[in-house]
Amino acid sequence: MADGNPRFTVDEALVAMGFGKFQLYVLAYAGMGWVAEAMEMMLLSFVGPAVQSLWNLSAREESLITSVVFAGMLIGAYSWGIVSDKHGRRKGFIITAVVTFVAGFLSAFSPNYMWLIILRCLVGLGLGGGPVLASWYLEFIPAPSRGTWMVVFSAFWTVGTIFEASLAWVVMPSLGWRWLLALSSVPSSLLLLFYRWTSESPRYLILQGRKAEALSILEKIARMNGTQLPPGVLSSELETELEDNKNLPTENTHLLKPGEIGEAVAVSKIVLKADKEPAFSLLALLSPTLIKRTLLLWIVFFGNAFAYYGVVLLTTELNNSQNRCYPTEKQLGNSNDVNYKDVFIASFAEFPGLLISAAMVDRFGRKVSMASMLFTCCIFLLPLLSHQSPFITTALLFGGRICISAAFTVVYIYAPEIYPTAVRTTGVGVASSVGRIGGILCPLVAVGLVHGCHQTIAVLLFEVVILVSGICVCLFPFETSGRDLTDSISASKEPPSASV
């Protein structure tokens, strides 16, 4: 406050304005993107068995339909993260929406297996932009209620999975898989339709030195929410930090001449420029400041993705109308028919998962919520080491899906919070890419091993991966519940200060 004017940061402005009408619009838009991604992922449970019967595919070829989507997401999550950190969140997610919609719609007209593989890989490339939308939404939420509202955002994923299960139940028996693919691309088109009314993240703008644009958006938020900005001048986190440090006397204060102070400020501006340069963002994730949280987050994302999609695919594979590994069971219809009723019921497991995560995430913290859910998931899957009746199998997978969806919800809250704005979408994008590797390998386990009558090995592998993920959660360096987000890498050396 050397100039006599009080200063406020984006975090302080968001807390002062609260969660209001503007954030609800942002939630609706980002939520539609989450619905679109959930539907495109959930339909893989239905398309695989359908085209396997139509084109006489092997188990490996069927699993490849799912794996190529994750391969595309692996590339997309990293690429779109860098794009959004360099060119803005809005440009990042609009490109992904275009790719997802076009490729998703065209895949309904695939003339053969190879074209389906290519187009679904492109769909995965577009879906890799999901973390950009999540980070964009996160950057508009006041710190005190961030956990709760991120859980509400995650509810859109659950809505998408249930809607897709309902759509498949209605469409597949009468119209077939091509109609399912076409109809499932509709939510992505809505992102294109309403794109012009979205706003850029003020955190991103102020980090780029575009303070006037950031202030304009904050004023728009205040008008829509019926509140006011804090008095004073909008300031970046680094400027506030420099001002505080400059006003703080130290034993070396007398050694600094006015010209040297100017040099120190110039050096700090260079650091800020380095913080904004995405070419070094991947290396920054592995810097001494961030490497521990980055490596642990990669393992946790891998484990969550591997387990979540594994439980989803096991629901269809273990509830197949004909189980070749257990010929004593009643054989009904085609060997690749899916019990849509059981899949539909299992999809509702995500609602209790959301309620549990909502109840725990701010009260007990992110780490406790994730770890407890992962360890409980291990308990639910344990009886599936041996073959169970269809009812018991569905009940155990229902419980497992409650836990893993709750854990996945919280990790998507925690991941953006532990990275500074300078590398937030890149950090979450790369972590999401690592999770996609788990998604690529998962069908080989859930489909390949189960088809080969190796259910015990498949479930045991899931148990080990989930257990290791839970241990890694316990090793995370700090808790983020109720804390402000940081903007620069230099400010991330210590846990961010608690929100007021």
Side-chain angles (χ1 to χ4, degrees):
M1 281 196 313
D3 56 2
N5 293 322
R7 297 177 181 272
F8 64 89
T9 63
V10 172
D11 264 313
E12 291 167 342
L14 291 175
V15 171
M17 294 182 292
F19 191 102
K21 185 183 294 184
F22 181 89
Q23 282 86 355
L24 288 176
Y25 287 138
V26 173
L27 171 63
Y29 186 87
M32 183 55 62
W34 223 227
V35 167
E37 181 167 345
M39 291 179 66
E40 292 288 356
M41 295 307 303
M42 186 66 183
L43 67 80
L44 297 172
S45 301
F46 310 109
V47 172
V51 298
Q52 196 277 340
S53 175
L54 177 65
W55 292 331
N56 295 318
L57 305 178
S58 65
R60 182 179 179 182
E61 289 173 323
E62 179 189 344
S63 64
L64 189 61
I65 296 172
T66 298
S67 294
V68 295
V69 175
F70 286 105
M73 294 176 80
L74 189 154
I75 300 171
Y78 172 65
S79 303
W80 305 134
I82 290 181
V83 168
S84 65
D85 277 336
K86 182 177 182 180
H87 300 289
R89 307 328 190 203
R90 292 179 78 243
K91 289 183 180 177
F93 62 66
I94 189 59
I95 297 172
T96 65
V98 171
V99 173
T100 303
F101 169 66
V102 174
F105 185 76
L106 291 180
S107 63
F109 302 93
S110 302
N112 52 47
Y113 174 73
M114 186 54 63
W115 270 107
L116 182 63
I117 289 292
I118 293 172
L119 289 169
R120 295 314 295 176
C121 184
L122 290 175
V123 169
L125 184 68
L127 293 177
V132 177
L133 267 175
S135 296
W136 174 72
Y137 168 69
L138 177 83
E139 292 175 356
F140 285 102
I141 306 177
S145 58
R146 196 165 56 228
T148 300
W149 283 107
M150 284 301 290
V151 171
V152 174
F153 168 68
S154 300
F156 284 89
W157 179 280
T158 302
V159 171
T161 60
I162 293 176
F163 186 72
E164 186 66 26
S166 307
L167 192 64
W169 196 0
V170 173
V171 171
M172 288 292 286
S174 55
L175 299 176
W177 61 274
R178 294 185 185 275
W179 274 93
L180 182 66
L181 286 173
L183 293 173
S184 298
S185 67
V186 171
S188 296
S189 68
L190 297 179
L191 294 180
L192 306 179
L193 186 62
F194 295 103
Y195 172 73
R196 59 178 297 186
W197 287 284
T198 60
S199 300
E200 183 56 85
S201 164
R203 289 185 181 279
Y204 166 80
L205 292 173
I206 201 168
L207 193 65
Q208 299 296 313
R210 297 155 63 181
K211 192 180 298 184
E213 294 176 62
L215 181 60
S216 175
I217 292 174
L218 291 175
E219 291 172 344
K220 178 181 177 182
I221 296 173
R223 287 195 304 271
M224 292 186 66
N225 288 1
T227 56
Q228 292 183 341
L229 288 172
V233 179
L234 176 62
S235 174
S236 70
E237 181 185 84
L238 182 63
E239 289 173 334
T240 303
E241 184 180 342
L242 286 173
E243 190 67 37
D244 291 342
N245 291 339
K246 189 169 68 173
N247 293 330
L248 187 65
T250 68
E251 60 179 341
N252 295 322
T253 300
H254 65 283
L255 299 177
L256 288 176
K257 299 177 182 179
E260 293 173 329
I261 293 176
E263 287 182 19
V265 173
V267 169
S268 298
K269 289 181 179 179
I270 293 174
V271 172
L272 176 61
K273 185 176 180 181
D275 268 329
K276 297 189 294 182
E277 181 53 60
F280 301 101
S281 54
L282 182 58
L283 292 178
L285 299 179
L286 301 177
S287 66
T289 302
L290 302 178
I291 188 169
K292 181 179 179 180
R293 68 190 79 173
T294 293
L295 295 179
L296 289 173
L297 192 66
W298 287 358
I299 297 173
V300 173
F301 257 91
F302 178 93
N304 272 272
F306 188 87
Y308 177 83
Y309 294 112
V311 170
V312 171
L313 290 173
L314 283 176
T315 303
T316 56
E317 294 301 323
L318 297 182
N319 286 297
N320 197 286
S321 63
Q322 177 174 327
N323 193 325
R324 296 175 182 176
C325 304
Y326 301 95
T328 56
E329 295 186 355
K330 185 178 180 180
Q331 312 296 308
L332 297 172
N334 188 287
S335 63
N336 290 291
D337 287 342
V338 173
N339 189 325
Y340 295 105
K341 179 181 177 181
D342 285 348
V343 176
F344 178 76
I345 293 173
S347 299
F348 276 91
E350 303 206 9
F351 273 123
L354 283 170
L355 294 175
I356 291 172
S357 57
M360 297 180 66
V361 68
D362 281 328
R363 180 175 299 179
F364 300 107
R366 284 45 161 162
K367 293 175 62 176
V368 171
S369 301
M370 283 187 284
S372 60
M373 288 296 97
L374 288 169
F375 293 143
T376 305
C377 183
C378 285
I379 296 174
F380 273 111
L381 296 184
L382 197 60
L384 291 176
L385 288 170
S386 60
H387 178 65
Q388 306 293 333
S389 67
F391 176 79
I392 296 297
T393 297
T394 300
L396 292 171
L397 289 173
F398 189 92
R401 189 158 173 178
I402 289 176
C403 297
I404 199 61
S405 62
F408 219 166
T409 296
V410 180
V411 77
Y412 262 105
I413 298 171
Y414 186 77
E417 292 178 332
I418 63 173
Y419 285 118
T421 303
V423 294
R424 180 166 296 123
T425 56
T426 300
V428 179
V430 173
S432 181
S433 292
V434 175
R436 305 314 177 190
I437 297 175
I440 293 170
L441 298 176
C442 170
L444 304 177
V445 176
V447 179
L449 289 179
V450 172
H451 276 198
C453 300
H454 300 299
Q455 178 178 328
T456 298
I457 298 175
V459 174
L460 183 62
L461 187 54
F462 283 122
E463 291 277 359
V464 172
V465 170
I466 297 171
L467 185 63
V468 171
S469 298
I471 294 172
C472 287
V473 168
C474 298
L475 298 177
F476 274 126
F478 57 87
E479 176 59 58
T480 60
S481 179
R483 296 183 180 273
D484 288 342
L485 300 178
T486 58
D487 287 335
S488 63
I489 297 172
S490 58
S492 298
K493 293 181 180 179
E494 299 295 334
S497 59
S499 177
V500 182

